[in-house]
Amino acid sequence: DDLTFKPDTAQMDSLHRAIYRHNQLVDDSIRLDSLTRAGANGIESPVRYSAKDSLVYIASTKTAHLYGSSDVEYQSINVKSEKIFMSLDSNIVHAEGRLDSTTQQTIGSPVFKMGSDEYQTGPMSFNFKSKKGLINDVYTQQDDGYPYSKE
């Protein structure tokens, strides 16, 4: 923009120049903030997540591993499970239960909600951007029926 006003910093004393540069840095960082960026990765709202036991973020692969009563929420989509793995680059969430070593039973199997529909599942993967996923061992209630699907 040739019409954008830019003050002449050569005419400013050192204090005013420092304040001007600081304000520019603040403005630049706000403009680049992830909450104000216009859908660079296709996600339109924040993804909220929590874990009762622990959360491990691996910066090199941009993945988050949530352990123990984990919960991920995006818009009207909610995934709860004992273990959840999120790839922040590809917008994919993978959830699965944990095998109890003494009883050999699965604990904390995923529960997937999308709007008012709720599904109790086995291992599952879901893409927030495309709103598509792959779910194994799906069980739900629809009207008076209880459908089950292997995949």
Side-chain angles (χ1 to χ4, degrees):
D1 286 63
D2 293 332
L3 301 175
T4 304
F5 173 75
K6 293 187 180 184
D8 184 6
T9 56
Q11 301 297 322
M12 295 180 184
D13 64 24
S14 61
L15 179 61
H16 283 103
R17 191 171 28 253
I19 292 170
Y20 173 76
R21 287 188 179 145
H22 172 74
N23 289 342
Q24 271 189 316
L25 291 173
V26 170
D27 289 346
D28 287 346
S29 67
I30 290 172
R31 195 171 12 262
L32 294 174
D33 187 276
S34 64
L35 293 177
T36 59
R37 245 185 304 177
N41 62 357
I43 295 292
E44 298 163 358
S45 62
V47 177
R48 301 184 198 296
Y49 51 92
S50 64
K52 188 174 183 180
D53 182 30
S54 61
L55 185 145
V56 178
Y57 176 71
I58 303 170
S60 61
T61 59
K62 293 186 182 178
T63 57
H65 300 249
L66 292 75
Y67 299 99
S69 297
S70 303
D71 188 10
V72 175
E73 186 177 324
Y74 173 71
Q75 294 177 340
S76 65
I77 300 166
N78 182 270
V79 178
K80 292 182 181 189
S81 184
E82 189 64 22
K83 294 192 296 186
I84 297 178
F85 309 106
M86 295 190 325
S87 173
L88 304 178
D89 273 350
S90 62
N91 308 312
I92 293 178
V93 172
H94 177 79
E96 59 186 48
R98 176 179 57 86
L99 187 65
D100 186 328
S101 60
T102 55
T103 64
Q104 298 301 309
Q105 298 293 317
T106 302
I107 299 171
S109 293
V111 176
F112 176 76
K113 283 185 183 179
M114 188 170 193
S116 62
D117 298 329
E118 181 175 310
Y119 304 92
Q120 305 214 355
T121 76
M124 62 160 292
S125 295
F126 188 79
N127 185 317
F128 286 138
K129 188 175 180 179
S130 68
K131 293 191 170 59
K132 294 180 182 178
L134 177 64
I135 303 175
N136 296 307
D137 303 322
V138 181
Y139 176 78
T140 190
Q141 179 180 359
Q142 292 179 347
D143 298 325
D144 292 333
Y146 294 90
Y148 171 80
S149 177
K150 191 73 177 156
E151 186 175 284

